[in-house]
Amino acid sequence: MTVDLKGRIALVTGASRGIGYFTAIELAKAGAHVIACARTVGGLEELDDAIKAVGGTATLVPFDLTDMNAIDALGASIHERWGKLDILVANAGVLGVISPIGHIEAKVFEKVMTVNVTATWRLIRSVEPLLVQSDQGRALILSSGAAHKCRPFWGVYSASKAAVEALARTWAGETQRLPLRIVSVDPGATRTAMRAQAMPGEDPETVPHPSEVAAKLIPLCGPGLTETGKLYVVREDKLKDYRLPE
């Protein structure tokens, strides 16, 4: 499916690698101007080169998502320059540790919640006024199957993603009468650095490359997305209602 995003402004967090990196490229290929956020300046510069190579444009914003003041300032800067935001891809996140709940250090638990949950809420708060200025605002909130499976030893990551989905569902309900459409995204197993950290013995060639996942997200960023408050499961390539473990 070809999606025309010419003239659209898209914000992608965690854009220096993995799903965020390739989603930013796909958005640029579709014509959107990409505001790319990440901690790693070198990764953002590589992304900028890749976007230019496909004929796109980007604005690089290097900052750490634990910097809440920077998140607040981001919304203000976007408003000053463009006056609106059309697409949000809230992709950035951290795994923490695979460990029994009782063995997780407080600082690790708090960092996962800060990056995955608090920063996502702060980002929503910062850019919602901009998204509602768009005639077809779209927000993709990256989640995980871990939010539903709640496997042993995945407690902190599972809890953070369950919280992120709750934020997305609530936000969708609050804005359902507006043109803004909001979905959570379960990308499934993907060949990323986070996956390698979680599954050190896995052959990376056995799971999809992040570029494959990114390509499936672009239709959710265009006018074809009419539903809100749903969960998009990449491996099934469809929107679903939020569900309990099967």
Side-chain angles (χ1 to χ4, degrees), residues 2-220:
T2 301
V3 180
D4 184 0
L5 299 178
K6 290 183 179 66
R8 298 284 163 181
I9 308 299
L11 170 63
V12 182
T13 65
S16 63
R17 62 182 182 178
I19 294 171
Y21 179 93
F22 288 99
T23 300
I25 293 172
E26 290 296 326
L27 287 166
K29 285 167 65 175
H33 177 79
V34 177
I35 304 168
C37 302
R39 290 179 303 167
T40 310
V41 174
L44 287 176
E45 291 174 345
E46 290 178 13
L47 172 65
D48 191 40
D49 290 341
I51 286 176
K52 288 177 180 175
V54 298
T57 60
T59 297
L60 308 183
V61 186
F63 72 93
D64 193 313
L65 278 176
T66 61
D67 185 345
M68 301 302 161
N69 291 330
I71 296 175
D72 294 345
L74 177 62
S77 296
I78 295 171
H79 178 267
E80 183 178 351
R81 182 167 177 182
W82 293 285
K84 66 162 186 172
L85 181 68
D86 300 292
I87 300 160
L88 166 66
V89 181
N91 163 75
V94 294
L95 176 66
V97 295
I98 305 301
S99 170
I101 290 173
H103 294 180
I104 300 170
E105 293 182 72
K107 65 180 181 180
V108 173
F109 190 94
E110 289 164 3
K111 180 178 180 180
V112 172
M113 290 299 169
T114 297
V115 174
N116 293 4
V117 184
T118 305
T120 298
W121 158 71
R122 198 84 172 225
L123 186 63
I124 290 170
R125 192 181 73 158
S126 183
V127 303
E128 181 189 49
L130 300 164
L131 286 166
V132 300
Q133 292 301 314
S134 174
D135 60 344
Q136 49 180 237
R138 299 291 183 264
L140 278 57
I141 312 297
L142 270 288
S143 183
S144 167
H148 304 273
K149 294 175 182 176
C150 296
R151 291 178 293 183
F153 312 114
W154 285 67
V156 62
Y157 185 70
S158 295
S160 73
K161 289 303 183 180
V164 164
E165 288 191 2
L167 286 174
R169 292 176 70 183
T170 303
W171 188 25
E174 292 168 353
T175 58
Q176 61 183 332
R177 297 184 181 277
L178 302 176
L180 176 59
R181 305 289 88 182
I182 300 159
V183 297
S184 295
V185 175
D186 173 6
T190 310
R191 199 183 314 165
T192 63
M194 183 184 292
R195 179 76 181 182
Q197 179 187 352
M199 302 288 189
E202 181 180 70
D203 179 358
E205 297 298 325
T206 62
V207 294
H209 190 271
S211 61
E212 299 175 49
V213 173
K216 290 189 175 183
L217 301 188
I218 302 309
L220 302 176

